[in-house]
Amino acid sequence: MAPEIVLQLALLSLALAMFFAIHQFPKHALNKHRTKNRAALLANRHFIQGSNLLARARSTTHRPQSLAHAKSALIEADKAIALSPKDPAPHVLKALAQELIGHTTSALRSLDLALSTPRVRSLSERERGGALVKRAELKLATNRRRQVDSAMEDLEEAGRLSEDNNATAFCLLGECYERKGMRAEAREAFEKALTIEPESIAARQGLERMGP
């Protein structure tokens, strides 16, 4: 038998095998796969819509309109979470919307969920660093002394993840040291922030508070 005919028969056998395998595959498994894909696409759609609404909320100076957009962004984030609960991105979006509304404690809980295992594994180092900085910022906003050490841990980790691009992290870290009376460490953190971002007003103000 010619080699070409043997090859054609082999390909035909493979095609038939694949055809029967597909048709004998349990329908519920195929439906589950399709449903999962549809859920992921729909969750992504809600996330994008929520992100756009949050951007509008941040861009307007009209407080009632900003709140309305932030609340709508929160609704879209919840829809995305319901469809894809293991995705950290909608939880971060929810936290940012909650912060804008003024719900600091709820925003902290949302960031805790985003940074929990296994969700955190889906974040890049830069994304994880950004979420850690935001969580530390919210912790400091609560003005609770016991949150300072926890915020420092988040900021130190964020600095290790993206040291060269995180002036905000070092400014906040300097503030933590300042609150704890660690002036030398605070000065070093503010100076590091200025090295990364020479125009940082927060870093300059921090150094001014440290004195000569």
Side-chain angles (χ1 to χ4, degrees), residues 195-212:
T195 301
I196 298 170
E197 189 179 321
E199 304 302 319
S200 173
I201 295 174
R204 292 188 182 280
Q205 290 176 339
L207 285 174
E208 287 174 4
R209 291 195 301 273
M210 295 299 98

Side-chain angles (χ1 to χ4, degrees), residues 106-192:
S106 297
L108 271 172
R109 283 198 295 267
S110 294
L111 282 175
D112 286 341
L113 288 171
L115 290 165
S116 65
T117 305
R119 295 185 188 93
V120 70
R121 295 172 187 161
S122 301
L123 295 173
S124 67
E125 288 191 352
R126 184 179 294 273
E127 291 168 338
R128 184 181 174 191
L132 286 165
V133 170
K134 174 53 66 176
R135 186 168 70 173
E137 186 179 352
L138 291 174
K139 287 176 180 177
L140 293 175
T142 64
N143 288 321
R144 297 174 184 170
R145 292 185 63 183
R146 62 185 176 82
Q147 291 280 31
V148 176
D149 289 336
S150 180
M152 287 175 63
E153 291 176 6
D154 282 349
L155 293 166
E156 288 167 352
E157 184 178 355
R160 288 191 294 270
L161 290 170
S162 52
E163 180 176 334
D164 295 333
N165 297 289
N166 218 329
T168 302
F170 285 101
C171 279
L172 291 172
L173 188 57
E175 185 181 335
C176 289
Y177 287 135
E178 187 179 357
R179 291 190 187 190
K180 293 176 70 68
M182 302 166 66
R183 297 178 65 82
E185 291 83 353
R187 178 183 293 278
E188 184 179 348
F190 289 131
E191 288 174 347
K192 179 65 175 178

Side-chain angles (χ1 to χ4, degrees), residues 44-80 93-94 96-98 100-101:
N44 189 54
R45 191 178 305 167
H46 286 302
F47 174 77
I48 292 172
Q49 180 64 17
S51 298
N52 290 334
L53 286 163
L54 184 65
R56 292 180 196 173
R58 287 176 163 177
S59 64
T60 181
T61 56
H62 188 244
R63 181 60 177 168
Q65 188 175 10
S66 177
L67 282 174
H69 286 320
K71 289 176 181 177
S72 296
L74 187 57
I75 291 171
E76 294 298 323
D78 279 331
K79 289 179 180 178
L93 173 63
K94 183 174 182 176
L96 296 176
Q98 288 169 325
L100 201 56
I101 294 170

